Amino acid sequence: SKMKLMFRPLLFHLLLFCSVPGVNNEGVIETELEKSVSLVCQHDGGHDTLVDEELVWLRNGAVVSLTEGNKKGRSSVCVTPVIYDDNGVTFSCHLSKNATVTASVTLNVTYHPQLSGSEEVAVEEEAELVLRCDILANPPVSSVSWKLNGSVVDLLAGGFSLTNDGFTSKLTVNSVEKSLHEGTYQCTATSLIYGEHSKQFSVTVTETTFKFPLMPMVAGVVVVCLTSLLAVVSRWNRITKVTHQTHTLHYRAHN
Ligand SMILES: *[C@@H]1O[C@H](CO)[C@@H](O)[C@H](O)[C@H]1NC(C)=O
Ligand SMILES: *[C@@H]1O[C@H](CO)[C@@H](O)[C@H](O)[C@H]1NC(C)=O
Ligand SMILES: *[C@@H]1O[C@H](CO)[C@@H](O)[C@H](O)[C@H]1NC(C)=O
């Protein structure tokens, strides 16, 4: 079904036909990511003098280049595939001769949060665990929930902290404990129009590798080396001194 967005300037009618989606009263076309939107601008019948008038399309104020046959009397632009950046973009069409006669529509690109699949996460005992879910969606998600082994995550008991900045929902544990934190996590974002989308994390807690004693060991080796070097140096000193003494004695013996 075609819906028309009608503008009634004094001279003529400029119609904007939007083939697939509907246009609401505010001149907004609702579409989805990856889909196609075709916008057609044409002069309303009755004014034959305008049939050959050249039309100009603007995307957010920037001129859209059109092929020769797509300029006079009727012109269409196709947005395909619709991408994130098309959200909120305004397309307008006007007569090349007279920019005051114009029609425009704004795209409202809806999309669900990009949540799916499962991720394997290995974390060491006592290390920090951070799980992130991308919850960006249009319209914004109405809620985000986190589960561990099928039960709602008990933030207090597990020492978790949860943040949400509208883009990412982040579940954090500062110091992981195997008994409390190992298991299957799931974040679920709920959208009023797209329903639920989830992502899983299989978290395994591994034993702490001995990173910590490595530094003292290196320091120990350095100390041992320095000590040996000092020992050699002092012995060398003593040897030269002894040699010198011997020499002196020898010299004196000659006199
Ligand atoms: C452009 O169109 C408007 C509205 O129809 C009209 O009032 C105006 O005189 C036109 N301007 C030119 C330069 O033709
Ligand atoms: C876009 O469409 C969605 C779904 O109908 C709606 O909730 C949202 O308010 C719209 N956004 C704008 C800017 O019109
Ligand atoms: C979650 O389930 C796994 C597998 O049954 C179990 O090993 C783990 O201890 C459970 N985690 C928690 C925090 O209860």
Side-chain angles (χ1 to χ4, degrees):
S1 67
K2 286 185 179 179
M3 287 189 74
K4 296 172 184 180
L5 177 67
M6 203 178 285
F7 287 79
R8 292 180 175 278
L10 291 171
L11 266 174
F12 67 104
H13 302 166
L14 195 61
L15 291 186
L16 200 59
F17 295 99
C18 303
S19 55
V20 187
V23 183
N24 68 17
N25 293 335
E26 284 81 42
V28 175
I29 294 179
E30 205 177 300
T31 181
E32 287 182 304
L33 212 57
E34 309 289 328
K35 291 208 170 153
S36 297
V37 175
S38 148
L39 306 170
V40 180
C41 181
Q42 72 173 38
H43 113 266
D44 193 17
H47 294 272
D48 293 338
T49 48
L50 292 167
V51 170
D52 284 338
E53 287 290 346
E54 200 162 280
L55 295 163
V56 174
W57 276 102
L58 301 176
R59 181 191 188 275
N60 270 357
V63 175
V64 175
S65 66
L66 301 169
T67 55
E68 263 326 298
N70 188 23
K71 285 181 181 171
K72 288 189 174 169
R74 180 183 195 277
S75 175
S76 63
V77 293
C78 194
V79 185
T80 184
V82 169
I83 59 170
Y84 287 105
D85 284 350
D86 290 321
N87 189 32
V89 163
T90 298
F91 282 91
S92 59
C93 164
H94 66 78
L95 277 179
S96 161
K97 272 186 184 170
N98 189 343
T100 60
V101 184
T102 184
S104 68
V105 282
T106 300
L107 301 187
N108 179 1
V109 180
T110 63
Y111 51 90
H112 58 72
Q114 305 303 301
L115 291 175
S116 63
S118 180
E119 193 180 314
E120 302 283 325
V121 179
V123 62
E124 277 179 17
E125 192 101 36
E126 289 174 26
E128 186 186 52
L129 170 66
V130 183
L131 302 177
R132 289 186 181 83
C133 277
D134 179 2
I135 54 157
L136 190 62
N138 183 28
V141 297
S142 53
S143 69
V144 181
S145 71
W146 283 86
K147 286 184 174 174
L148 167 53
N149 282 356
S151 314
V152 174
V153 167
D154 188 338
L155 297 180
L156 210 59
F160 293 97
S161 62
L162 185 59
T163 60
N164 178 343
D165 60 6
F167 299 94
T168 310
S169 175
K170 198 168 86 171
L171 185 71
T172 313
V173 178
N174 287 327
S175 180
V176 166
E177 265 181 64
K178 194 179 175 83
S179 61
L180 284 176
H181 303 123
E182 191 169 77
T184 304
Y185 291 77
Q186 185 179 46
C187 75
T188 303
T190 308
S191 156
L192 290 177
I193 62 173
Y194 291 109
E196 294 188 342
H197 283 85
S198 299
K199 181 177 176 179
Q200 284 201 354
F201 300 88
S202 297
V203 175
T204 351
V205 177
T206 59
E207 274 178 30
T208 318
T209 53
F210 290 93
K211 270 181 204 155
F212 180 68
L214 191 65
M215 284 313 289
M217 250 173 64
V218 170
V221 169
V222 171
V223 168
V224 168
C225 288
L226 276 179
T227 313
S228 327
L229 189 66
L230 283 174
V232 168
V233 168
S234 57
R235 198 166 305 153
W236 179 249
N237 271 346
R238 229 179 299 143
I239 292 165
T240 46
K241 264 177 208 152
V242 168
T243 318
H244 181 69
Q245 260 177 1
T246 319
H247 180 75
T248 314
L249 285 173
H250 191 61
Y251 178 80
R252 275 184 193 159
H254 270 275
N255 285 291

